[in-house]
Amino acid sequence: MASTALAASLARRDFHYGWVVVAVTFFTLLVTAAAMGTPGVLIVPLEQEFGWSDAQISSALALRIMLFGLFGPFAAAFMNRYGVRRVIVAAMALIVSGLMVSLVMKEVWQLVLLWGVIVGVGTGLTAMVLAATVATRWFNHRRGLVMGLLAASNATGQLVFLPLIARLTTDYGWRMALVFVACMLAVVALLAALFMRDRPSDLNLPLYGESKITPPPAEGVGLMSLLMSPILVLKDAARVPIFWVLFGTFFICGASTNGLIQTHFVTLCHDYGLPAVTAASVLAMMGIFDFSARSARAGCQTVSTIAGCYFGITACAGCLCCICRSPISRSMACRCSPCSTASTG
């Protein structure tokens, strides 16, 4: 296999193959983040072509985000049972099928099924549990660095792809933008099939930072037991108060960033006359600061420092976005616009 030959070649240069796995995982999460952010650019074109309301389109995107979160713990069970490589390829196939079939959709229920269910499940299989799995299986040293790099892939996906997707949508239509994203996902599937391996022991390698090869665990647990393990863990964790603190923190994070800003920011800018490409570039600029913050947060000494900064900034951004999307603010903007002034004068 290509991975075996490459691992042998890198070993002669004293370069651990785990960094290749990190690169493939980073690209996987990066393109998946682009697929997650693409519908936010396409809300206005869908409204214009099909006459669907913002609420109808948002319902499909909300279902996608919900499944993205719910499938994370179960994705780990599938990875333990079938391997990381097979799960990535299957996830990419699901997302590509959902995007490509949506090129011929006509009804709202088709949007909900394709973008909500199929894409939601596919992206859920490559959630942050993939990053944690790779970092844990391949690294003993530098594990925190690996997690930081993989966590930053979401921001990098916005930075790299969203302005380009907005340009494709503006110049060639939303279908061409989906074809582009589907092609990138197919490239990810190919790279994963060629170079992703489940564990270092598959290549007769130790974990990064160790000298002894760790054998894989025995395969004595069935799929149903693996699928039940997240539920049992949740049952035990629900009795610990700190769990609900973390739950609330991540809920606010997802609702504000993925649910509100990433989904509706481009549409918000369109309401005020800002072109989609410019709006996507602003969102990409947010990704730059997000990438920088994720890289710098290792220097924060306490969780309260990180949480305080995050909640302060996110609360301001979320309140501004909610206010600007409200009907009252829209009517005020219309009354204060030059066109409205001219018509009343």
Side-chain angles (χ1 to χ4, degrees):
M1 296 179 62
S3 56
T4 304
L6 180 59
S9 177
L10 294 176
R12 290 193 293 268
R13 295 171 174 81
D14 197 25
F15 188 86
H16 198 274
Y17 191 81
W19 294 109
V20 176
V21 175
V22 169
V24 174
T25 306
F26 183 90
F27 189 58
T28 300
L29 296 175
L30 182 145
V31 177
T32 305
M36 285 282 292
T38 298
V41 182
L42 306 183
I43 291 178
V44 174
L46 292 178
E47 290 176 346
Q48 293 173 346
E49 178 171 337
F50 298 106
W52 300 334
S53 67
D54 196 358
Q56 289 175 315
I57 300 174
S58 298
S59 63
L61 305 186
L63 178 60
R64 179 207 60 182
I65 294 175
M66 183 182 70
L67 292 176
F68 173 78
L70 290 177
F71 262 78
F74 301 101
F78 287 117
M79 291 177 189
N80 289 329
R81 177 64 177 178
Y82 300 108
V84 175
R85 179 171 55 185
R86 292 179 180 176
V87 171
I88 292 178
V89 173
M92 296 303 106
L94 277 175
I95 302 173
V96 169
S97 62
L99 295 180
M100 294 305 292
V101 177
S102 66
L103 297 178
V104 295
M105 65 182 176
K106 300 295 182 182
E107 304 293 337
V108 176
W109 68 265
Q110 297 170 342
L111 176 70
V112 174
L113 174 63
L114 296 172
W115 287 15
V117 178
I118 296 179
V119 175
V121 172
T123 53
L125 291 175
T126 55
M128 282 307 298
V129 66
L130 173 61
T133 300
V134 169
T136 303
R137 289 186 179 184
W138 285 85
F139 289 84
N140 186 19
H141 298 321
R142 303 297 181 92
R143 187 176 293 172
L145 173 63
V146 171
M147 279 298 302
L149 290 173
L150 296 180
S153 59
N154 181 62
T156 310
Q158 294 182 26
L159 171 65
V160 173
F161 288 108
L162 281 187
L164 177 58
I165 292 170
R167 173 59 64 185
L168 290 173
T169 304
T170 302
D171 294 344
Y172 303 102
W174 63 272
R175 290 179 175 83
M176 183 58 67
L178 286 186
V179 170
F180 169 75
V181 175
C183 291
M184 296 303 299
L185 292 167
V187 172
V188 168
L190 178 62
L191 291 176
L194 291 176
F195 300 110
M196 179 63 70
R197 299 303 292 266
D198 295 331
R199 301 177 184 275
S201 58
D202 295 344
L203 299 171
N204 294 320
L205 292 174
L207 275 70
Y208 182 86
E210 294 186 357
S211 57
K212 182 179 179 181
I213 297 177
T214 303
E219 298 182 359
V221 182
L223 178 60
M224 291 306 299
S225 298
L226 292 173
L227 291 175
M228 286 298 297
S229 60
I231 300 176
L232 297 177
V233 171
L234 177 61
K235 181 180 178 181
D236 294 336
R239 301 170 182 159
V240 182
I242 192 64
F243 168 80
W244 294 106
V245 175
L246 294 173
F247 175 86
T249 303
F250 279 93
F251 179 84
I252 294 174
C253 174
S256 58
T257 54
N258 294 332
L260 181 62
I261 297 175
Q262 186 185 64
T263 303
H264 294 286
F265 183 79
V266 176
T267 309
L268 162 69
C269 293
H270 176 269
D271 293 343
Y272 288 90
L274 195 65
V277 177
T278 306
S281 300
V282 174
L283 195 58
M285 183 177 67
M286 296 180 186
I288 296 176
F289 288 99
D290 182 79
F291 182 88
S292 302
R294 289 177 186 271
S295 302
R297 71 182 178 183
C300 297
Q301 298 299 317
T302 62
V303 175
S304 60
T305 304
I306 302 173
C309 295
Y310 174 79
F311 280 120
I313 297 172
T314 302
C316 294
C319 290
L320 286 174
C321 194
C322 287
I323 292 171
C324 291
R325 286 291 285 167
S326 66
I328 296 177
S329 66
R330 291 188 185 183
S331 62
M332 292 178 61
C334 292
R335 288 196 297 270
C336 297
S337 64
C339 295
S340 176
T341 304
S343 62
T344 55

